Amino acid sequence: MTVTGIITALIVGLIVGALGRLVVPGRQNIPIWLTMVIGVVAALIGTVIANAIGISTNTPGVDWGELLVQVIVAAIGVALVAGFAGRGRRSTL
């Protein structure tokens, strides 16, 4: 993988993480850097899943099916991490 490919993958991962966070309802009590790390990981896992089920194709433009799978994986990741992070906090009510 070239340097350009790595930078592109990171940028796509950051966008996927932000979109995943927007899809999850409510407020997530996790730092933005953790959301971006989840996005990068979700982009990689989402690509693997899209390839495995035959959604991903080599198109000259944006592969919307693959992007949708990546955002869904990111939303699940953000929800899981936010749920685990919120579990350790006590309510002040």
Side-chain angles (χ1 to χ4, degrees), residues 20-81:
R21 187 174 180 134
L22 287 174
V23 170
V24 176
R27 188 165 189 267
Q28 297 83 35
N29 290 323
I30 59 174
I32 194 70
W33 66 265
L34 185 55
T35 302
M36 299 304 143
V37 170
I38 293 168
V40 171
V41 173
L44 295 172
I45 294 172
T47 299
V48 170
I49 292 171
N51 285 329
I53 60 177
I55 291 177
S56 181
T57 58
N58 291 330
T59 57
V62 176
D63 192 351
W64 296 105
E66 182 178 352
L67 183 62
L68 179 63
V69 172
Q70 291 172 339
V71 171
I72 291 170
V73 171
I76 292 169
V78 167
L80 287 174
V81 171

Side-chain angles (χ1 to χ4, degrees), residues 29 80-91:
N29 290 323
L80 287 174
V81 171
F84 285 125
R87 205 176 233 191
R89 299 179 185 195
R90 297 188 184 264
S91 175

